[in-house]
Amino acid sequence: MSERVDELMPVEERTAFQLAPAMDSAAPPEWSGARWIGAVDLDRLSDHTQLQLLNHAGYDRARLLVRQGTAVRGFVDVEATGGMLERAVLEEAVAGLPAVTPVAPGVSSTPSVTVVVCTRDRAALLRGALTAILDLGYPNFDVLVVDNAPRTAETANMVRDEFDDPRITLITEPAPGLSKARNAGLRRAQGDIVAYTDDDVVVDEAWLREIAAGFDRMPGAACVTGLVPAGELRSPAQGYFDDRVSWSKSVAPKIYSFADPPKGLPKFPFCPGAFGTGANFALDRRTALSLGGFDNALGVGTRTGGGEDIDMFTRVILGGFSLVVQPSAIVWHRHRGGLDELRAQARGYGSGLGAWLTKILLNPNTARLALARAPGVAWELLQSASTSRQPAATKGQSHDSWDRQLAQVLRLELISVACGPLNYLLGRRPFEKRGL
């Protein structure tokens, strides 16, 4: 995400270090809280005294993901008037972050990886995601694009016409549903590891290497999840969503297993958000198949609208396997930019949560465990959501109007949680119990 400027100039003249945005924005910022988003590696700054932000028009502040080599320090929010950031300002902000032990470069394993990208009629977004994936320097990977119940041939035509790359395979899953699409990718995958991401992301250049490093951290691990920060914060809806989700800022490496429950998570393993999100995770292929793949009654495109990722994470842990959180495996996500998209997201998140909780309670073994550890998990999640910080309104919109619209989003999410159980029961099929 960054590059040196004027490498051939004398040292005393090389004072600016360019930083590229995490992802390109199709529209200018539209609210006072907008932030330019990017990353900076402290080990690469050398003697530069200034940082120049590319494509900074309309942004007076920046949010930077701070790394030290492959280690993630955290996020800083700094002034960057005119797209210029003084290094002294950056260092002052970084001083408030926790120290990390730099990761020494070394030889790590490079297992074969199949990247699965599930998509439906979003060719423009998919184009950017595939471009970043194919630019990865990882030596041993292929890509499966799963076109899920497409309404047009636009996605297939774009992939075939614009990506003449032997590493890409396009397949179609005619039945709608994200779990069905992910299962189709799992069945076709050839890699030892199956890495899942979405079509509205830009993967970091070290993404697959850090996924592999996560599996190295815990031999025999079944799942590795990575960091999914906001790649764009130009609208109040994006700011609101970013404040709501915990996985966008979780920078502490962790290993979760049922045999060694973590301190500070009394509801473990029933902790949606603690393990990661569906935009950035990888599974050991053989283990995922042994677990039955994804539950076809869950996920976007089904009645439930979501929940398939937290279901898989929980099943991995309840199955006796380890789940590794590897923040250095980074995928930048384009959050929903408008209120209509935010409402759709709230509906899916709420219904998916209610459906997942229903599935837990329908199984006597998990029900006993859940009722003992997390009897009020749904209500507590919604309470914490309703008290999250609310971004300022967009220009020309009153705070009262914005607050009312956010309150409607929260009510919609609550209603959707209540609808989740019925949606899950209607979506189940006897022949789908194992998900594949």
Side-chain angles (χ1 to χ4, degrees):
M1 291 296 175
S2 59
E3 57 182 293
R4 296 186 183 280
V5 184
D6 300 326
E7 285 288 354
L8 299 180
M9 295 177 63
V11 171
E12 61 272 11
E13 296 182 30
R14 285 191 275 119
T15 58
F17 187 89
Q18 284 188 336
L19 297 178
M23 53 174 45
D24 294 329
S25 295
E30 57 188 60
W31 66 299
S32 59
R35 298 290 186 269
W36 185 97
I37 304 293
V40 59
D41 182 351
L42 299 179
D43 288 349
R44 297 182 62 190
L45 289 182
S46 185
D47 57 336
H48 296 279
T49 60
Q50 290 183 315
L51 290 79
Q52 180 182 8
L53 311 184
L54 301 178
N55 302 332
H56 61 83
Y59 295 95
D60 293 321
R61 296 191 65 84
R63 177 186 292 177
L64 297 178
L65 174 63
V66 180
R67 291 185 285 198
Q68 200 157 0
T70 59
V72 176
R73 292 284 301 273
F75 295 88
V76 296
D77 194 311
V78 291
E79 289 189 10
T81 305
M84 296 301 294
L85 171 62
E86 297 295 328
R87 182 167 179 174
V89 173
L90 173 64
E91 290 178 344
E92 182 179 0
V94 170
L97 298 177
V100 297
T101 302
V103 179
V107 178
S108 60
S109 64
T110 54
S112 58
V113 179
T114 295
V115 177
V116 175
V117 185
C118 303
T119 188
R120 188 183 192 193
D121 300 327
R122 302 205 299 183
L125 287 173
L126 178 64
R127 180 181 291 109
L130 289 180
T131 298
I133 291 169
L134 292 173
D135 282 345
L136 294 172
Y138 192 79
N140 192 14
F141 79 99
D142 67 298
V143 183
L144 278 176
V145 177
V146 184
D147 199 7
N148 186 211
R151 290 178 282 257
T152 73
E154 183 181 8
T155 296
N157 292 338
M158 186 272 290
V159 172
R160 290 174 179 139
D161 295 344
E162 300 182 25
F163 293 93
D164 183 17
D165 192 307
R167 293 173 296 177
I168 289 188
T169 300
L170 174 70
I171 63 175
T172 300
E173 169 50 57
L178 184 52
S179 284
K180 288 188 173 76
R182 285 181 164 161
N183 281 331
L186 180 61
R187 289 193 300 267
R188 267 303 275 277
Q190 299 296 313
D192 294 328
I193 303 300
V194 184
Y196 289 93
T197 192
D198 292 343
D199 58 10
D200 53 357
V201 307
V202 171
V203 301
D204 180 72
E205 59 188 5
W207 178 51
L208 289 184
R209 288 191 181 277
E210 292 305 309
I211 288 287
F215 281 100
D216 282 346
R217 280 178 58 201
M218 176 55 65
C223 181
V224 171
T225 68
L227 181 63
V228 186
E232 179 185 72
L233 284 179
R234 60 174 180 80
S235 75
Q238 289 177 326
Y240 171 77
F241 182 81
D242 191 57
D243 283 340
R244 285 288 311 277
V245 294
S246 59
W247 39 258
S248 67
K249 306 177 193 68
S250 180
V251 299
K254 288 182 171 51
I255 297 176
Y256 292 107
S257 73
F258 196 72
D260 185 19
K263 296 178 181 178
L265 284 179
K267 300 177 182 63
F268 179 81
F270 307 105
C271 341
F275 306 133
T277 186
N280 183 9
F281 71 104
L283 297 168
D284 176 86
R285 180 172 55 84
R286 292 180 180 85
T287 303
L289 288 169
S290 74
L291 289 171
F294 297 86
D295 187 336
N296 284 335
L298 298 172
V300 176
T302 68
R303 289 177 178 272
T304 58
E308 85 296 336
D309 50 357
I310 56 177
D311 175 63
M312 176 57 77
F313 300 155
T314 307
R315 285 163 54 210
V316 162
I317 293 170
L318 290 173
F321 303 99
S322 296
L323 183 151
V324 176
V325 176
Q326 183 82 353
S328 52
I330 300 166
V331 167
W332 301 93
H333 184 257
R334 194 182 303 276
H335 294 341
R336 273 61 178 174
L339 271 170
D340 288 343
E341 296 170 298
L342 195 60
R343 292 187 188 100
Q345 190 76 58
R347 187 181 296 111
Y349 274 28
S351 178
L353 175 62
W356 170 69
L357 290 169
T358 301
K359 179 177 180 177
I360 294 296
L361 294 176
L362 287 175
N363 182 313
N365 295 325
T366 55
R368 282 192 296 270
L369 187 61
L371 292 173
R373 297 191 178 188
V377 63
W379 175 245
E380 290 176 20
L381 284 169
L382 290 169
Q383 277 189 315
S384 64
S386 65
T387 56
S388 62
R389 183 175 65 85
Q390 297 179 355
T394 186
K395 295 175 182 178
Q397 184 181 40
S398 71
H399 285 271
D400 287 345
S401 172
W402 178 244
D403 289 346
R404 283 195 300 271
Q405 291 178 86
L406 289 186
Q408 292 172 358
V409 170
L410 288 170
R411 283 196 295 272
L412 175 61
E413 188 168 358
L414 179 59
I415 293 170
S416 299
V417 172
C419 294
L422 178 60
N423 287 334
Y424 183 68
L425 293 174
L426 290 174
R428 294 179 71 191
R429 296 291 186 272
F431 56 82
E432 291 179 339
K433 286 184 180 179
R434 286 187 57 80
L436 290 173

